[in-house]
Amino acid sequence: MNYKIKNGKELRIAISGKSGCGNTTVSTLLSNKLGVQLINYTFRQLAAEKGLTLAQVIENAKTDDSYDIAVDTKQVELAKKQSCVLGSRLAIWMLKEADLKVYLYASDDVRAKRILNREGGDIEEIKSFTSMRDSQDTQRYKKLYKIDNDDYAFADMIIDTAKYNPEQIADLILTELACRGFVEKSN
C-alpha cells in the first residue's frame, strides 16, 4: 500500500538508531512508499567521497570534529530543502523540525548478526568493533552537541526492530503518519 502526502504539504521524517538497527533499509522503504527524497548521508558516504575506508574516517573523527560536523550539517541542510526521510544516527536530535521522529533499536546480538549478514566477517570481531564504535559515537555526540544518543524517550515512535521485518516497520510508521493526518492512502 502506498501513501501520499496530504494536500501537497511538506513532510520530514527523522529516523535514528545505532548501526545494524535497520535505519537505512527502513528509511529507503519509507521514502519509496511516500515518493520523497531519502537523505542518508553518513560516515560511509564521506569515506567514499574522501577515498578513505570507513575505519579510517572513524579513526580520524576521534581527533577531528570536522568529520562529524560535515556529515551532520550536510544532512540537515538537505533535509530542510524538501519533503524527505532523513535516516541517520542523530536525525531525531538534529532535525528539530521533523514531523515524525522514529527511533529504531535492537539488541547488540541482533545488530551484530545483521552487520555480519550485510558485510561478512567474524561475529566476535563485529561485536567488538560495534561496541567500540557505539561508545566512541556516544562520546563524540556528547562532546560536539551535548546529545546523549542513549536518551531517545522523546521520539514519537520507538520500534524494536527484532520484532518486525523492515516492511512491517515502514507500515507501522505510515500508519502513524496517517493517524496524525500527514498522509493518505493512494492507488
Side-chain angles (χ1 to χ4, degrees):
M1 178 71 58
N2 283 342
Y3 289 78
K4 66 177 184 175
I5 299 170
K6 281 189 171 179
N7 303 324
K9 294 179 181 178
E10 288 196 349
L11 175 64
R12 288 169 185 83
I13 304 161
I15 301 179
S16 292
K18 295 181 180 180
S19 179
C21 283
N23 295 0
T24 302
T25 303
V26 171
S27 296
T28 300
L29 276 170
L30 202 54
S31 72
N32 289 339
K33 287 176 177 273
L34 287 169
V36 299
Q37 181 74 36
L38 168 65
I39 298 171
N40 186 318
Y41 188 81
T42 65
F43 271 1
R44 196 173 301 280
Q45 284 81 14
L46 186 65
E49 287 177 12
K50 290 185 172 284
L52 301 170
T53 66
L54 176 60
Q56 287 172 313
V57 168
I58 291 169
E59 186 62 32
N60 293 348
K62 290 180 191 176
T63 56
D64 185 348
D65 295 342
S66 71
Y67 286 86
D68 282 288
I69 293 167
V71 166
D72 299 331
T73 302
K74 183 164 185 170
Q75 63 191 5
V76 171
E77 285 173 1
L78 292 169
K80 287 182 178 181
K81 291 181 180 179
Q82 62 190 319
S83 292
C84 65
V85 176
L86 173 59
S88 79
R89 301 267 196 286
L90 293 180
I92 66 172
W93 291 273
M94 299 295 282
L95 188 61
K96 301 201 183 320
E97 45 281 284
D99 297 296
L100 187 70
K101 295 175 181 165
V102 180
Y103 189 83
L104 305 178
Y105 74 94
S107 71
D108 292 346
D109 285 342
V110 167
R111 293 170 50 220
K113 287 174 187 165
R114 288 180 181 160
I115 294 167
L116 175 68
N117 289 338
R118 180 177 73 207
E119 299 173 12
D122 175 79
I123 190 72
E124 293 307 318
E125 287 177 16
I126 290 169
K127 284 180 181 180
S128 175
F129 180 81
T130 302
S131 174
M132 176 271 302
R133 185 176 180 190
D134 288 347
S135 174
Q136 290 177 355
D137 285 350
T138 297
Q139 289 172 14
R140 280 196 330 277
Y141 303 153
K142 285 179 181 177
K143 177 182 145 197
L144 285 174
Y145 306 115
K146 311 246 184 302
I147 289 172
D148 179 355
N149 68 326
D150 289 320
D151 180 12
Y152 48 82
F154 67 91
D156 299 308
M157 296 181 78
I158 299 170
I159 301 172
D160 181 349
T161 64
K163 294 181 179 180
Y164 307 96
N165 67 40
E167 190 76 34
Q168 292 169 320
I169 295 167
D171 287 343
L172 287 170
I173 295 167
L174 288 166
T175 299
E176 181 65 22
L177 288 166
C179 288
R180 290 174 180 242
F182 290 115
V183 300
E184 58 194 5
K185 292 180 182 177
S186 68
N187 295 333

